Amino acid sequence: MRCPSCGYQESKVVDSRSADDGASIRRRRECLQCGTRFTTYERLAENPILVIKTDGSSEVFNREKLMRGLLIACAKRPITPEKIDGLITSIESELRSSQRNEIKSRDLGDLVLARLATLDDVAYIRFASVYKDFQNVEEFSEALKELG
């Protein structure tokens, strides 16, 4: 594993723990050259989940892309990155346990919104405003009514 600080390729594992309810292994590593400590995650390589976009094209499900969108929606809210990662893991686990290799982007967005609704109302509205592409105040108001 390449050190993110100096680029050296040799490191030692300082600590290993199960993460994501056993779906991955979290490892703390230390660079053998500069001594920087960093964290890596080891996950089982599985068949990719394809996200079918509204224009008919498809792309591989990308945890990091979903994480970026959720971090923006949850900015300045009392939601830790660990909670967001857990939310993504639960969605991915649901898709894999249902043996689905494809999901429409709209269905994926609905899964995210269902979980955000129980987590934080403001993050829900922020995510929904981008995901549902509100065109006017009435659409925004309707989303607020769905929450309460």
Side-chain angles (χ1 to χ4, degrees):
M1 181 63 56
R2 184 181 307 271
C3 173
S5 182
C6 71
Y8 192 67
Q9 292 207 8
E10 299 292 324
S11 64
K12 68 178 180 179
V13 175
V14 178
D15 182 42
S16 287
R17 297 178 186 202
S18 178
D20 300 330
D21 294 327
S24 65
I25 297 173
R26 176 185 182 271
R27 298 193 195 281
R28 277 302 277 163
R29 296 180 175 271
E30 184 176 320
C31 176
L32 295 178
Q33 182 165 323
C34 71
T36 298
R37 289 191 173 200
F38 55 98
T39 302
T40 61
Y41 289 89
E42 182 178 319
R43 298 185 196 285
L44 178 65
E46 299 173 323
N47 290 334
I49 297 169
L50 291 179
V51 178
I52 309 301
K53 300 167 103 178
T54 53
D55 67 1
S57 65
S58 63
E59 65 180 41
V60 175
F61 174 77
N62 185 333
R63 288 181 64 89
E64 289 74 30
K65 183 176 179 180
L66 185 53
M67 175 66 91
R68 283 191 304 271
L70 285 168
L71 284 172
I72 291 168
C74 297
K76 297 185 182 180
R77 301 298 305 154
I79 303 169
T80 64
E82 291 78 20
K83 280 187 180 179
I84 297 170
D85 190 60
L87 184 146
I88 295 169
T89 298
S90 73
I91 290 171
E92 192 172 8
S93 295
E94 181 179 329
L95 294 174
R96 293 200 185 282
S97 67
S98 69
Q99 303 294 315
R100 293 172 71 174
N101 292 337
E102 292 183 353
I103 185 168
K104 292 180 180 176
S105 59
R106 180 155 300 284
D107 295 338
L108 179 59
D110 290 341
L111 289 174
V112 172
L113 285 175
R115 285 165 173 80
L116 275 179
T118 63
L119 194 61
D120 187 87
D121 291 347
V122 173
Y124 173 91
I125 290 298
R126 287 177 178 169
F127 191 85
S129 68
V130 173
Y131 160 67
K132 292 188 176 186
D133 192 26
F134 296 151
Q135 297 298 313
N136 54 46
V137 175
E138 289 78 25
E139 291 176 4
F140 191 85
S141 177
E142 189 60 38
L144 286 171
K145 288 178 187 173
E146 289 175 15
L147 276 176

